Amino acid sequence: MARTQQVYDDIPGTFVFDAERAKEGYHLNMFCMSLMKDENRKAFKADEAKYLDRFPLTQAQRDAILNRQYNRMLELGGNIYFTAKLGATDGHSFQHIAAIMTGSTQEDYAKMMLAGGRSVEGNRSRSGRDAAHKPAARRAGPKSAAKTGGQSSSRPAAKLGKKAGSKRG
């Protein structure tokens, strides 16, 4: 079954772990979590393909695991925190895995993060770029605070934790 298109699917290089991906990646994530036990890590390292037979993975998920394609695992429903267990099983730090995922060396990735991270330019979603270039729309909502006695919410004053008509300074 094809994945339902989401408004956030146009963020470059990002696979949001939503309910649909969680369902799709359940067995992939259970495989990764199994690596928390030493005996499972040893069995996996002894014969990776055979160990994966314990889980009803799709062929694409199996291939991504065996080829250590972390971005592909995320696309196929993997959770970043679970897939990191695979990297740890291979003796890699989370920073090393993140560097691989960004097509960078670990040293260059660390420098980029220490310098404030990746620029949003060129990495913004199409919808985000479009919204950033539109003039601010007038908000629909309650009348201005001046006309409502200082309240900026449409909820009654009592629900805001104030007595009706009282003002806090």
Side-chain angles (χ1 to χ4, degrees):
M1 184 173 181
R3 181 170 158 71
T4 306
Q5 187 69 25
Q6 301 294 332
V7 295
Y8 47 75
D9 283 341
D10 68 345
I11 302 169
T14 300
F15 304 106
V16 176
F17 188 70
D18 58 12
E20 197 169 347
R21 276 213 169 85
K23 184 177 178 182
E24 178 185 3
Y26 178 80
H27 297 291
L28 186 156
N29 291 314
M30 290 303 98
F31 151 71
C32 291
M33 291 302 290
S34 77
L35 298 176
M36 292 179 64
K37 293 184 177 180
D38 186 51
E39 64 268 20
N40 293 339
R41 288 190 300 273
K42 287 177 181 172
F44 175 67
K45 294 306 280 182
D47 189 338
E48 293 184 3
K50 182 179 177 185
Y51 185 82
L52 292 179
D53 290 340
R54 298 180 184 187
F55 303 88
L57 301 165
T58 67
Q59 187 60 50
Q61 290 170 331
R62 286 180 64 90
D63 292 345
I65 292 166
L66 293 171
N67 294 310
R68 304 306 195 267
Q69 296 169 322
Y70 290 96
N71 287 329
R72 181 74 172 135
M73 284 185 252
L74 299 185
E75 182 181 8
L76 296 170
N79 178 292
I80 186 65
Y81 298 106
F82 296 166
T83 57
K85 308 283 186 229
L86 176 59
T89 297
D90 290 337
H92 300 298
S93 69
F94 193 85
Q95 186 179 72
H96 175 84
I97 296 165
I100 290 170
M101 294 172 73
T102 60
S104 179
T105 66
Q106 187 171 342
E107 181 181 348
D108 288 343
Y109 179 80
K111 286 178 186 176
M112 175 192 62
M113 294 307 290
L114 289 170
R118 186 170 55 171
S119 168
V120 298
E121 296 309 318
N123 294 305
R124 197 182 307 260
S125 68
R126 287 187 302 275
S127 57
R129 282 193 307 265
D130 294 345
H133 291 97
K134 288 182 182 177
R138 185 179 172 116
R139 291 184 183 175
K143 297 177 184 175
S144 72
K147 292 183 181 178
T148 59
Q151 290 179 278
S152 60
S153 173
S154 60
R155 294 184 297 174
K159 289 190 177 179
L160 293 173
K162 298 180 183 179
K163 292 181 182 176
S166 70
K167 291 185 180 181
R168 288 190 177 166

